Amino acid sequence: MALTTLKRVLSAGYVSFRRNAWLSLATIMVMALALFVIGNLIFLGAFANTVLAQLESRIDVSIYFQPNASERDIFSVKHDLESHADVADVAYTSRDAALAAFRDRHKDNQLITGALAELGDNPLEASINVKAKDSSRFAAISSFLEQKNYSIVDKINFSENERVVERLGSILTAVRASGAVLALVLAVIAMLVAFNTLRLVIYTMREEIGIMRLVGGTGWFIRGPFLVSGALYGFFAALVTTVIFFPLTWYASPKLAFLVPEFNLFSYFLLHLVEFSLIMFTFGITLGILSSFIAVRRYLHV
Amino acid sequence: MIFFDNVSKIYNSHSVALRDVTLRIEPKEFVSIVGTSGAGKTTLLRLLLREEEPTSGRILLDGFDITDVRRRDLHRIRRRIGTVFQDYKLLPMKTAYENVAFAMEVAGRAPEEIAEDVPQAIQLVGLTGKENNFPHQLSGGEKQRIAIARALINRPDVLLADEPSGNLDPVNTAEIVKLLLKVNGLGTTVLLATHDSKVINDLGRRVITFDAGRIVSDEEHGTYMPDVGEEKI
């Protein structure tokens, strides 16, 4: 009995989906659009994260040492820094390496190479480049260095860059927070559009719902097929969206890589395909069923 | 048995649909409810289907007060009452066969039973061969006959027909009335609301006349003579 009812509800939902083919197609397209917006927000989030992480990794602090400082002393400073909780990475550049890099950078500039040759001696200092785990932790690292007050340290460029570093840090935080809010607002709008479309679909069928009621249908027997149709709309919308993202990410990938070489959209999509389609299908099907449920309820009061 | 016990339906002081109606209809009766538009015929039927609730009074169906039924149990009343409407109220996206079968499906009948009964009902109303037509592919008379097949399929105790011939020509009207009589002959109580005096006068059955929400006459072999004034209009 229950099985027969379930079979009837499923087949009625499918038949209605098929017979109202144009209406179904239009609904799927609108829902796909909503899911497309949500999908784009996911990619935008990933892209923004990569960009922000890149920016953050470019913020660093350099510690320059007196020219006569021994490598042993410098390495003990390096070791202290490495064991600091807020430090992500420490890179040592010796005086010779600094000079080689400098020469390489200015090899086309006659004036500079000439001046270097005249000097004879290496004018550059050895340095340690420190990267923090988080841009907001530089102040802690800086105060740690001040407290230690190493005699071999010539200068720390953090104090010069302090305001820039701090401002960049607060910008990054603001971008992350407002990006999340914006994504949420857009996702909600997309869902409302899909919800309203389904409400319109069911509005056009409100008389049928009334008739079914008068013929003696129970609430669930009438509602069931609409939920099945709603789930089918969501399923196909998710399918369409996921498929569309294949050529789209493939096409957009090199263009984005031009902006941020570290971000490969297409491989990101392929790598997260399972999670991505899971989100799409869950969103689509839940949205379809829930919208239908709410919309049908109004017209069942006969 | 249907019993209206002092039933009133009042929308507001200017709009009274039924006033103090007391009415008893025995099983297997064929009763015509007549009156001008707005006399209260349709309201009476709507109250019996619990499409609306009375302002006061009780409505008993086989000794059971239907005004007490909760909304989610309404289908229990409605499965015992078959209904035929002036505008047919067929499901547009279902074929003739599916429209009739739907009433059995909602009642939870077995597939074998449906496969057996639906063709019989369609044969009874004379539409064998049009099972796979959608409502928009049927004429008005054919739609109404499908609606009657649907109303009968669950073998209801009562059949309500609200102006079933309102949109039909005289030939189709006669066919529909013949069908209703056939249904009544099979043991179903029939309540026919109409303002078609020809239909009533040809029937020669019980006629209850309404005017402005009140019963003005109840005759065992009644006729219906609309006011001269209405005829002119």
Side-chain angles (χ1 to χ4, degrees), chain B:
Chain B
M1 188 201 63
I2 300 164
F3 185 53
F4 281 76
D5 184 9
N6 213 11
V7 173
S8 294
K9 177 68 185 176
I10 298 166
Y11 294 104
N12 57 55
S13 57
H14 303 292
S15 173
V16 178
L18 285 181
R19 198 190 289 273
D20 305 327
V21 169
T22 299
L23 178 62
R24 175 194 284 270
I25 294 164
E26 298 299 334
K28 301 182 185 175
E29 261 196 286
F30 191 117
V31 180
S32 302
I33 317 277
V34 300
T36 54
S37 299
K41 307 184 299 281
T42 300
T43 305
L44 192 82
L45 301 190
R46 287 170 69 93
L47 287 175
L48 199 52
L49 265 184
R50 255 290 294 275
E51 269 191 84
E52 290 187 59
E53 287 173 42
T55 312
S56 65
R58 294 185 310 153
I59 300 167
L60 303 180
L61 182 64
D62 293 335
F64 171 76
D65 191 346
I66 64 166
T67 54
D68 282 346
V69 177
R70 280 175 301 185
R71 187 182 289 281
R72 65 156 183 260
D73 292 325
L74 282 181
H75 59 92
R76 292 184 203 284
I77 310 174
R78 289 170 178 172
R79 284 179 197 165
R80 299 184 50 192
I81 302 176
T83 322
V84 180
F85 303 91
Q86 179 173 0
D87 58 354
Y88 324 122
K89 290 206 193 297
L90 296 177
L91 298 166
M93 297 310 287
K94 289 189 190 290
T95 63
Y97 182 95
E98 288 167 344
N99 262 287
V100 179
F102 182 77
M104 291 187 85
E105 287 178 1
V106 298
R109 309 282 281 275
E112 306 81 49
E113 223 180 331
I114 294 177
E116 197 182 319
D117 288 5
V118 175
Q120 279 180 18
I122 289 177
Q123 194 189 5
L124 180 81
V125 299
L127 283 181
T128 305
K130 303 227 168 175
E131 292 91 343
N132 293 325
N133 288 29
F134 285 92
H136 69 90
Q137 297 165 328
L138 298 171
S139 74
E142 288 170 339
K143 278 187 230 181
Q144 196 57 294
R145 282 190 271 166
I146 287 297
I148 292 175
R150 178 180 65 183
L152 294 178
I153 196 75
N154 284 324
R155 300 188 187 89
D157 305 326
V158 183
L159 180 76
L160 304 183
D162 187 9
E163 302 279 6
S165 57
N167 288 337
L168 302 179
D169 59 41
V171 176
N172 274 304
T173 301
E175 286 292 319
I176 296 297
V177 172
K178 224 194 271 175
L179 256 176
L180 293 177
L181 282 169
K182 198 158 150 190
V183 170
N184 180 239
L186 297 171
T188 306
T189 312
V190 175
L191 255 76
L192 168 67
T194 183
H195 59 245
D196 187 337
S197 52
K198 181 162 188 324
V199 169
I200 305 300
N201 299 338
D202 290 350
L203 273 169
R205 300 288 186 106
R206 182 179 173 191
V207 175
I208 302 169
T209 311
F210 275 79
D211 187 40
R214 291 176 192 275
I215 296 178
V216 292
S217 78
D218 186 348
E219 299 166 281
E220 204 47 54
H221 299 285
T223 53
Y224 177 49
M225 284 295 158
D227 294 345
V228 181
E230 194 208 14
E231 285 292 89
K232 272 185 187 162
I233 293 165

Side-chain angles (χ1 to χ4, degrees), chain A residues 27-49:
Chain A
T27 312
I28 289 170
M29 285 305 144
V30 173
M31 283 188 78
L33 212 62
L35 291 179
F36 184 73
V37 169
I38 292 170
N40 272 312
L41 289 175
I42 295 173
F43 290 133
L44 200 68
F47 179 69
N49 263 335

